[in-house]
Amino acid sequence: GENVEQHPSTLSVQEGDSAVIKCTYSDSASNYFPWYKQELGKRPQLIIDIRSNVGEKKDQRIAVTLNKTAKHFSLHITETQPEDSAVYFCAADGRTGNQFYFGTGTSLTVIP
Amino acid sequence: DTGVSQDPRHKITKRGQNVTFRCDPISEHNRLYWYRQTLGQGPEFLTYFQNEAQLEKSRLLSDRFSAERPKGSFSTLEIQRTEQGDSAMYLCASRAGLTEAFFGQGTRLTVV
């Protein structure tokens, strides 16, 4: 099956700085790559996603880039705010598209 | 609330007892997923339904676990003869086709 690796596991940034989280995947047949934000004790919530026919997608302060050749994708958060503090998970849908394979998560702390 | 709902939110059970969790997906979402999440880890796939058909099961899903989606709407996940290692957050997610997946708030199981 698919194997998704995520780095770093923890990330601290000053408010206003940018944060970048990187993920790699193993199955070239994966076509859909969502990013979820999970606050403590709450459900994972989709913040942005990208499909394999697109190289970059942006939504206000959040952007995702995808390099299919290298099989990696990244989350970029600009002008970080304290409310961005959470655990972020990347995922890939694998060969069948019947499940999501999640990374191990990045705990982001934005220091005011 | 028109999102994915799960019941109960918390469950404490004695080792060896059976437990059943319920998930009500977003109306008209034909795909339904069960995941398990332990502290500090990403969600791990358990099983997937398309309408009422269970199309994929993880090797994590031992014979003590069973899931159903009898009418293609709500789903139940049953764990028989619970073990302490079953303690985790059990998350349900639904999606319409290949659109974004929405997660429920989860059922936190504690086996004592």
Side-chain angles (χ1 to χ4, degrees), chain A residues 1-4 24-35 46 48-57 64-69 71-73 90-101, chain B residues 31 95 97-100:
Chain A
E2 172 70 278
N3 182 42
V4 177
T24 60
Y25 62 99
S26 61
D27 193 336
S28 58
S30 286
N31 282 312
Y32 177 66
F33 307 90
W35 284 89
L46 182 78
I48 197 166
D49 56 13
I50 192 167
R51 297 191 184 274
S52 58
N53 58 345
V54 175
E56 184 173 358
K57 185 176 178 180
V64 56
T65 58
L66 171 65
N67 184 326
K68 281 194 66 179
T69 303
K71 290 187 283 189
H72 66 70
F73 55 114
C90 62
D93 68 346
R95 181 161 297 271
T96 65
N98 289 341
Q99 60 169 288
F100 297 118
Y101 298 83
Chain B
R31 295 181 178 222
R95 68 196 296 212
L98 297 178
T99 61
E100 65 178 281

Side-chain angles (χ1 to χ4, degrees), chain A residues 36 38 43 51 99-100, chain B residues 35 37 56 98 101 103 105:
Chain A
Y36 285 86
Q38 188 174 30
R43 74 184 81 192
R51 297 191 184 274
Q99 60 169 288
F100 297 118
Chain B
Y35 282 84
Q37 187 177 28
E56 198 157 331
L98 297 178
F103 280 86
Q105 297 218 359

